[in-house]
Amino acid sequence: MKLYGSVTSPYVRKVRVTLIEKKIDFNLEQGYLTGNPPMIDGVNPLGKVPALELDDGTLIFDSAVIVDYLEGLNPVGHLIPEDRHQRMLVKRWEALSDGLLDAAVLVLLETRRDNPAERSQAWIDKQQSKVDRAMAYMSQQLGEKNWCQGDAFTLADISVGSALLWIEFRFPNHNWRKQYPNLDRLVTKLAQRKSFQDTPPQG
Ligand SMILES: N[C@@H](CCC(=O)N[C@@H](CS)C(=O)NCC(=O)O)C(=O)O
């Protein structure tokens, strides 16, 4: 299978970590976000990565749909519980992490506007408050537990790790590790896994 992606995207990282944890072979197709229009537009109508192309040509997007599909492919490294309630809670962690990223990406884009006069501080503050509330919620939900959900490593941990390590990559002055020592403890542990070590954000 082909994964259209980039080595900077945290949503792509979530999928790459999942593929590695589940020992599924894939080819990472990079460079599709460049060009005018970007080449990814010809692959994914939404013009976003990640997009996964199966060997029969089926295209899957977005990252939450991709990882759900991958989980069903084999029983290796079980990442999403079968129990409906537990499954919902893991997927909620994923939605929280992806939502935190969506808001953080908007902050980044707004602060990088070519013309600073077009920049809206009110918009940045609104998005930043979502990031801050999401992180506080993560920390409160994690508490003193070893893993985000249940007593094992799941997609919830992959999602949180991919999101917070991207925040560290793009916002090096953010002090979430000091502010939330329990998130620091979790992410430090996750960063030691081969799947995370093999997928550092670059660029
Ligand atoms: N909800 C999507 C978000 C994917 C996304 O926003 N990807 C970014 C890269 S980090 C992208 O492709 N941006 C290009 C664009 O929006 O034009 C997912 O989880 O797959």
Side-chain angles (χ1 to χ4, degrees):
M1 51 182 76
K2 271 193 215 168
L3 177 66
Y4 295 92
S6 79
V7 290
T8 49
S9 167
Y11 310 96
V12 173
R13 189 178 200 184
K14 179 178 60 167
V15 173
R16 291 168 74 204
V17 169
T18 298
L19 283 158
I20 295 169
E21 291 285 345
K22 294 191 72 66
K23 303 193 188 325
I24 298 170
D25 287 336
F26 66 101
N27 287 326
L28 182 63
E29 305 286 335
Q30 298 186 65
Y32 277 72
L33 286 178
T34 56
N36 192 13
M39 282 191 295
I40 194 68
D41 290 3
V43 177
N44 176 357
L46 299 176
K48 288 176 191 263
V49 295
L52 185 73
E53 192 179 308
L54 304 184
D55 293 345
D56 70 359
T58 305
L59 186 76
I60 312 179
F61 53 85
D62 62 15
S63 63
V65 181
I66 296 172
V67 294
D68 196 57
Y69 171 76
L70 294 174
E71 170 67 358
L73 278 188
N74 70 31
V76 178
H78 200 43
L79 294 174
I80 306 177
E82 272 151 31
D83 174 81
R84 274 181 78 85
H85 190 74
Q86 286 302 314
R87 175 186 163 86
M88 174 277 289
L89 291 172
V90 165
K91 299 290 285 180
R92 190 180 68 166
W93 274 104
E94 183 183 21
L96 183 64
S97 308
D98 287 359
L100 183 157
L101 285 171
D102 293 343
V105 166
L106 291 174
V107 170
L108 192 68
L109 294 179
E110 193 68 14
T111 51
R112 282 182 173 177
R113 273 186 187 277
D114 290 340
N115 180 356
E118 290 176 355
R119 196 179 294 155
S120 164
Q121 191 57 45
W123 178 251
I124 293 173
D125 293 346
K126 182 181 166 82
Q127 300 307 325
Q128 185 62 48
S129 72
K130 291 177 196 265
V131 174
D132 295 343
R133 286 196 306 274
M135 254 187 223
Y137 195 82
M138 281 177 176
S139 174
Q140 180 250 319
Q141 292 286 308
L142 177 62
E144 294 308 311
K145 290 184 289 156
N146 284 329
W147 303 106
C148 292
Q149 197 58 50
D151 53 9
F153 171 78
T154 66
L155 174 63
D157 304 292
I158 295 177
S159 305
V160 169
S162 301
L164 293 182
L165 288 166
W166 185 83
I167 294 288
E168 188 154 68
F169 170 64
R170 287 298 189 207
F171 300 90
N173 295 328
H174 196 294
N175 66 352
W176 63 267
R177 285 187 187 268
K178 282 214 172 78
Q179 205 174 350
Y180 301 114
N182 62 344
L183 294 178
D184 176 32
R185 172 178 53 80
L186 174 77
V187 173
T188 299
K189 184 168 60 180
L190 293 173
Q192 288 161 7
R193 294 180 83 90
K194 185 172 186 314
S195 54
F196 275 89
Q197 287 189 351
D198 286 356
T199 56
Q202 288 159 0

